[in-house]
Amino acid sequence: MSLLDIRNLSLSIHGKPILRGISLRIAEGEIAALTGESGSGKSMTAFATLGLLPKGAKATGSITFDGTNLLTLAEPQMCDLRGREIGMVFQEPMTALNPVQTIGAQVMETILIHKAMPRDKAEARTRAVLKRVGLPPDHVPLSRYPHELSGGQRQRVVIAMAIALRPRLLIADEPTTALDVTTQAQILDLLRGLAREENMALMMITHDLAVVSDMADTLNVMRHGDIVESGPTGDVLRQMRHPYTRQLLAASRHQANLGAAKADAPLLSVQGVSRDYPMPRLSLFGPRPTFRAVKRVSFDIRRGERVGLVGESGCGKSTLTRAILGLEPVQEGQITLDGHPVWQDGHPNLKVRRKMQVVFQDPYGSFNPRHKVGRLITEPFHLLPDPPTGTARDRAIAEALTAVGLSPEDAGKHIHAFSGGQRQRIAIARALIIKPELIVFDEAVSALDVRVRAQILDLMADLSRAYGLTYLFISHDLSVVRSITDRVMVMRAGEIVEDRATKDIFDAPNHAYTRSLIAAAPQLPDDLEALNAPHPAL
Amino acid sequence: MLGYFVKRLVSLVISLIVASAVIFSVVEIAPGDPASFMLGINAQPDTVAALRTELGLDQSKLDRYLSWVGGMLTGDFGTSYTYRAPVAQMIADRLWVSLPLALYALTLSTLIAFPAGIFAAARRGGAGDLAVTGATQLGVAIPNFWFAMMLVLIFAINLRWFSAGGFPGWDAGFWTGMKALTLPAIALALPQAAILTRVMRSSLLDILGEDFIRTACAKGLSSRQALWRHGLRNALIPVLTIIGLQFAFLLAGAIIIEQVFFLPGLGRLIFQAITQRDLIVVESVVMLLVFAVILVNFLVDLAYAAVDPRLRTRT
């Protein structure tokens, strides 16, 4: 008998249908993956199972857990079940922990709230659980606060809270999406080990097919609140009966058509650049120690080149980006664009500044919601000595919007009228409008669904061919970098450890760190390669 | 933590030095010299000269500043020109009314606001929330002297539970004194409680939307347990800020309420000193209030660090 048996579950929130009669079963010790794009209802399935639906939600059908229908269970009984029988791990480890409580107290709370054991035993269990998830208390004391831990460590704490009472079902909602590849590999290992060794059923929610392809026993593909395809993972991936599954797979291994690499004269030159940050004083009147985030880094980007910069969070790639954009001064070395320094006499050099633009990860956060698109994308005009006005301005807006695949009429709309992918197109239009020499894409596609990501990557490739763009593409995602760059730089602890042509790096990485990054990145099984026939852009 | 404490302490001392310099110079730049200003335009020249000597105006500015600050540090605030009494004693007498009144009102306002704010936040959008929010609208909109008059009408004139005003002094006994301060404290507390309730409610609602509250529920906490164990402490920072500001206001800003209830408090003292141009009293009382505000802010800063561990390690 299945431990969890969801039958014909439908869900609407304030009358808006979210789930349309889905059925799903998970047995003890089984890893079931739920995959699909954002808004497909994956997370809502999890919240429905846990009885944590938002206000105004109406669920019909049944969710049977060990013979009990959870949908009809009263709230006090649900509270008793949550954390004890069903545990949940969330996507965002940075915000999933209470910032003002120690990690020990938060893990122990799971045990104490269910009165599972007296306090002294609960503390021993807390230590054991933290050790199990890879945070041995002699290294990471229980008295630590969340802000003193890294993202991966915090996710381990969240997992420890979820498994402290050895629940029979563990739900993990995008547990590794916010983490680096190497940390992701460790967390996935941990989750897999928990399911196998403790015979825990694991509902694994992810948008990334590669993540689940080698760990899930069954795969359920969701779209618009329906499970469109389900079955043993190998079968689903090999047969792919539903076109949507095929689209997802094609998009996740999408290769943009970059065209031939060009490399003219050097455009950006970074020579021996170091960047220091002041640290808290160790003693009251002692000198301030500094942390060197970027260590004597040197490289060139030639005109027309498309360069990737990869590395884990904290490796210094964002710091280096800010220095290149002239947002912060450097302590050593020099950065020049077309021979002119980006930072001069204690100020960003405006003449150089207007030749560079940046596209950020979160397209919504980088737009003022009160302004219309026309005004938003002309923001870079303030960098120009004589910005175009009147019809010239309108023409520039129309041209930029057309270039990114939107229509000139969109200039009159507000940003909330657009989807995530369209917003990222608008962000690119904003970067293009002053025809910059260099564009920096800072994790520009990391927040997008695979299919939208494939479209944006295609757009970048098209623009690159049409306008001869030079760009620096910063990402923690190796597969994306591979498809969109001519050359890749691998950064670790403030240093560039490898800097070679993209193909060479992926075919035969020189540096041990590069090899470990590539090995850690989740991959779809090789025997699916044949299926990866060229597919029209979606 | 020690670094944070020392930093706040240094900032407290610097604020005090700057504030004393500003207050001293403002009095200095008052039109004409302080002696003729205090005596008015019809004063005799020899009276002015006598006052100049008494005030030490013939010394250099720096000397006078230093002796003023030094005097305050040793408890000597000078002598009031109008009352011919030591300012320190006058302030002390008034402080014995104003400080208990402010603390009393603040306690009442906190005792009302915390439960009301938590109650409203826990029932967001429900009837209880609407009732609390509506009441706080009224509380913010209605001036405190109107409350004061209503309280006097009901509890002093009709019910005769309290006297309509005046302060018998603490010599008459602690409870007698507290009784005399009760109506003024309620009148002061109501509008403050309304503000504090709104801050508590919205701060708590912000926190209840955070991911870690959902995590707490996934652990098996009921929504009420999640609110008490994880919501409240996180919601305290904005509330502490407002409490700090309210205390400063209550200490010096109670002047209207002091008038309504005939209380000999600091507010009335400043008012009288200003109308009588008694610069010595004004200077000292203002400095004392500035000191109180800075001290309260210092305590609020320490409370922040006690509530939020992230502040202890921040530079």
Side-chain angles (χ1 to χ4, degrees):
Chain A
M1 197 190 89
S2 303
L3 178 67
L4 181 73
D5 188 353
I6 298 179
R7 282 197 194 173
N8 206 17
L9 175 68
S10 291
L11 175 74
S12 62
I13 298 179
H14 294 297
K16 185 174 177 253
I18 305 290
L19 296 176
R20 303 159 197 267
I22 62 163
S23 296
L24 174 72
R25 283 184 191 186
I26 308 178
E28 304 222 4
E30 180 186 329
I31 302 178
L34 223 56
T35 188
E37 296 179 342
S38 48
S40 61
K42 310 184 297 278
S43 296
M44 280 305 155
T45 308
F47 289 137
T49 307
L50 219 51
L52 288 179
L53 289 168
K55 270 189 185 162
K58 255 204 165 95
T60 58
S62 69
I63 302 177
T64 313
F65 177 81
D66 196 21
T68 318
N69 185 0
L70 301 183
L71 284 184
T72 55
L73 214 56
E75 177 62 18
Q77 277 79 47
M78 270 319 282
C79 282
D80 186 46
L81 217 61
R82 285 184 210 122
R84 196 165 55 80
E85 297 278 331
I86 309 176
M88 179 146 180
V89 177
F90 298 92
Q91 173 172 3
E92 200 35 84
M94 304 315 256
T95 53
L97 293 170
N98 183 346
V100 305
Q101 267 187 14
T102 62
I103 58 168
Q106 295 190 56
V107 175
M108 211 184 328
E109 188 177 37
T110 307
I111 304 168
L112 294 177
I113 199 83
H114 292 287
K115 302 189 173 66
M117 52 187 81
R119 185 166 274 275
D120 50 331
K121 278 197 180 148
E123 191 174 327
R125 169 70 77 88
T126 302
R127 287 173 188 283
V129 167
L130 281 170
K131 194 165 170 222
R132 174 69 185 86
V133 299
L135 293 176
D138 7 330
H139 289 285
V140 185
L142 302 186
S143 57
R144 288 279 168 88
Y145 286 96
H147 71 275
E148 298 170 309
L149 305 181
S150 71
Q153 287 175 319
R154 290 187 210 193
Q155 194 62 302
R156 288 172 197 272
V157 174
V158 175
I159 294 174
M161 290 186 334
I163 63 161
L165 287 176
R166 301 207 179 97
R168 295 162 71 193
L169 171 65
L170 182 63
I171 302 174
D173 187 2
E174 304 272 6
T176 60
T177 306
L179 303 174
D180 291 320
V181 273
T182 42
T183 320
Q184 162 167 302
Q186 293 161 4
I187 296 288
L188 292 177
D189 264 349
L190 171 62
L191 289 172
R192 189 175 7 212
L194 285 169
R196 299 290 179 242
E197 289 154 30
E198 324 255 333
N199 203 27
M200 219 177 258
L202 175 61
M203 186 199 284
M204 177 84 185
I205 295 172
T206 176
H207 68 278
D208 190 345
L209 275 175
V211 162
V212 287
S213 64
D214 67 335
M215 84 180 264
D217 303 312
T218 55
L219 185 58
N220 301 274
V221 182
M222 288 193 77
R223 182 192 198 187
H224 302 326
D226 265 327
I227 293 183
V228 294
E229 187 159 5
S230 68
T233 306
D235 294 357
V236 170
L237 287 179
R238 256 183 297 279
Q239 294 165 2
M240 290 196 286
R241 287 180 297 263
H242 199 281
Y244 180 69
T245 316
R246 281 199 288 277
Q247 288 175 8
L248 270 188
L249 191 75
S252 68
R253 42 178 54 195
H254 182 73
Q255 201 71 29
N257 176 15
L258 265 186
K262 273 178 299 188
D264 298 344
L267 175 66
L268 178 80
S269 162
V270 175
Q271 295 306 324
V273 163
S274 297
R275 177 82 180 93
D276 297 333
Y277 284 110
M279 302 276 285
R281 281 190 179 83
L282 296 175
S283 66
L284 204 51
F285 299 103
R288 252 174 181 235
T290 55
F291 171 70
R292 180 150 280 201
V294 174
K295 298 169 189 162
R296 301 191 63 84
V297 162
S298 300
F299 62 89
D300 283 338
I301 295 181
R302 292 167 178 278
R303 202 177 286 275
E305 233 185 343
R306 291 144 308 186
V307 180
L309 178 62
V310 293
E312 300 185 349
S313 52
C315 74
K317 54 186 197 298
S318 304
T319 307
L320 181 60
T321 313
R322 281 198 296 275
I324 289 174
L325 290 169
L327 299 175
E328 289 172 358
V330 297
Q331 276 65 47
E332 242 179 60
Q334 192 166 43
I335 304 173
T336 57
L337 186 81
D338 238 354
H340 301 289
V342 298
W343 185 276
Q344 208 169 25
D345 308 325
H347 294 286
N349 186 348
L350 270 187
K351 274 191 212 125
V352 173
R353 192 62 196 77
R354 69 177 67 117
K355 295 179 181 170
M356 291 188 286
Q357 282 295 308
V358 60
V359 178
F360 294 106
Q361 171 172 6
D362 177 8
Y364 196 59
S366 65
F367 289 118
N368 185 336
R370 282 170 222 269
H371 293 172
K372 290 181 178 165
V373 167
R375 176 160 175 196
L376 290 172
I377 65 168
T378 50
E379 270 167 3
F381 279 169
H382 77 267
L383 292 166
L384 301 180
D386 52 341
T389 50
T391 50
R393 183 172 177 275
D394 294 341
R395 208 164 45 237
I397 294 173
E399 199 182 319
L401 286 174
T402 315
V404 298
L406 297 170
S407 88
E409 288 82 62
D410 290 330
K413 295 181 190 160
H414 282 102
I415 196 73
H416 59 76
F418 296 91
S419 70
Q422 287 172 322
R423 285 173 192 166
Q424 206 55 302
R425 284 175 192 269
I426 293 167
I428 294 173
R430 173 169 64 179
L432 283 177
I433 201 159
I434 57 169
K435 306 208 161 49
E437 311 241 355
L438 174 71
I439 301 187
V440 175
F441 292 103
D442 190 355
E443 300 278 4
V445 296
S446 303
L448 303 176
D449 280 324
V450 275
R451 288 195 306 159
V452 180
R453 188 175 77 192
Q455 291 166 5
I456 298 290
L457 291 177
D458 277 337
L459 170 68
M460 285 160 59
D462 291 347
L463 292 171
S464 161
R465 274 181 282 126
Y467 296 90
L469 283 188
T470 311
Y471 59 73
L472 178 63
F473 188 95
I474 298 156
S475 179
H476 68 280
D477 188 338
L478 292 167
S479 65
V480 176
V481 174
R482 183 177 198 170
S483 72
I484 195 79
T485 59
D486 307 317
R487 198 180 108 208
V488 175
M489 299 186 289
V490 181
M491 197 163 180
R492 183 198 193 186
E495 290 174 275
I496 290 181
V497 297
E498 198 159 358
D499 177 0
R500 290 194 298 148
T502 306
K503 189 172 180 313
D504 298 348
I505 281 208
F506 281 94
D507 289 349
N510 274 343
H511 198 276
Y513 179 67
T514 315
R515 281 197 291 274
S516 74
L517 273 188
I518 294 176
Q523 301 231 316
L524 287 159
D526 284 339
D527 56 338
L528 298 174
E529 286 307 323
L531 292 163
N532 190 23
H535 201 278
L538 297 156
Chain B
M1 183 66 203
L2 184 70
Y4 179 85
F5 180 81
V6 170
K7 234 174 207 171
R8 301 265 73 85
L9 200 63
V10 168
S11 127
L12 174 130
V13 172
I14 293 174
S15 310
L16 282 179
I17 293 172
V18 172
S20 64
V22 169
I23 292 168
F24 183 78
S25 4
V26 166
V27 173
E28 282 297 311
I29 30 178
D33 83 9
S36 40
F37 174 77
M38 284 167 72
L39 293 171
I41 38 172
N42 298 324
Q44 299 297 321
D46 50 336
T47 332
V48 175
L51 183 59
R52 281 185 63 88
T53 324
E54 191 190 324
L55 292 176
L57 288 181
D58 33 11
Q59 297 166 22
S60 81
K61 284 191 169 123
L62 186 65
D63 283 345
R64 276 189 292 134
Y65 172 70
L66 289 179
S67 72
W68 177 58
V69 172
M72 281 193 296
L73 288 178
T74 53
D76 175 12
F77 286 60
T79 309
S80 158
Y81 182 75
T82 21
Y83 295 98
R84 287 287 155 199
V87 177
Q89 189 56 49
M90 290 170 64
I91 291 179
D93 290 346
R94 306 303 181 107
L95 212 51
W96 271 110
V97 179
S98 280
L99 194 61
L101 179 61
L103 288 174
Y104 194 175
L106 196 69
T107 310
L108 284 180
S109 127
T110 312
L111 284 180
I112 298 170
F114 270 59
I118 295 169
F119 175 86
R123 289 163 185 74
R124 175 181 207 169
D129 184 22
L130 283 178
V132 170
T133 323
T136 61
Q137 288 278 21
L138 277 179
V140 173
I142 297 174
N144 57 14
F145 60 82
W146 188 84
F147 279 129
M149 292 187 305
M150 288 304 114
L151 290 170
V152 169
L153 267 178
I154 298 168
F155 295 103
I157 297 176
N158 284 341
L159 296 172
R160 299 187 176 274
W161 290 355
F162 296 92
S163 68
F167 185 68
W170 295 107
D171 299 335
F174 176 75
W175 293 112
T176 319
M178 287 302 275
K179 198 176 168 195
L181 291 182
T182 297
L183 289 187
I186 293 174
L188 277 173
L190 285 179
Q192 305 295 325
I195 297 169
L196 202 57
T197 304
R198 296 174 77 89
V199 174
M200 182 83 220
R201 174 183 176 272
S202 69
S203 171
L204 204 48
L205 283 180
D206 280 349
I207 297 293
L208 291 182
E210 293 280 344
D211 284 353
F212 60 81
I213 296 293
R214 194 182 57 188
T215 311
C217 289
K219 281 200 273 188
L221 276 75
S222 67
S223 47
R224 192 145 302 179
Q225 282 171 321
L227 185 153
W228 283 100
R229 291 175 182 225
H230 295 277
L232 204 53
R233 193 164 150 196
N234 278 288
L236 273 185
I237 292 265
V239 176
L240 286 173
T241 312
I242 299 296
I243 290 182
L245 293 173
Q246 291 193 337
F247 181 73
F249 167 80
L250 288 172
L251 199 56
I255 175 163
I256 298 177
I257 295 297
E258 286 172 11
Q259 290 288 1
V260 172
F261 289 98
F262 306 107
L263 293 176
L266 272 182
R268 283 177 93 194
L269 179 64
I270 305 178
F271 184 70
Q272 288 161 354
I274 290 173
T275 44
Q276 289 157 353
R277 304 183 167 198
D278 194 338
L279 288 182
I280 303 165
V281 175
V282 174
E283 213 174 35
S284 304
V285 177
V286 170
M287 189 61 218
L288 182 86
L289 290 174
V290 167
F291 174 72
V293 171
I294 292 175
L295 184 72
V296 168
N297 277 333
F298 173 72
L299 295 176
V300 168
D301 279 343
L302 295 189
Y304 285 165
V307 167
D308 193 336
R310 287 168 295 185
L311 290 173
R312 291 173 219 158
T313 44
R314 193 173 292 173
T315 51

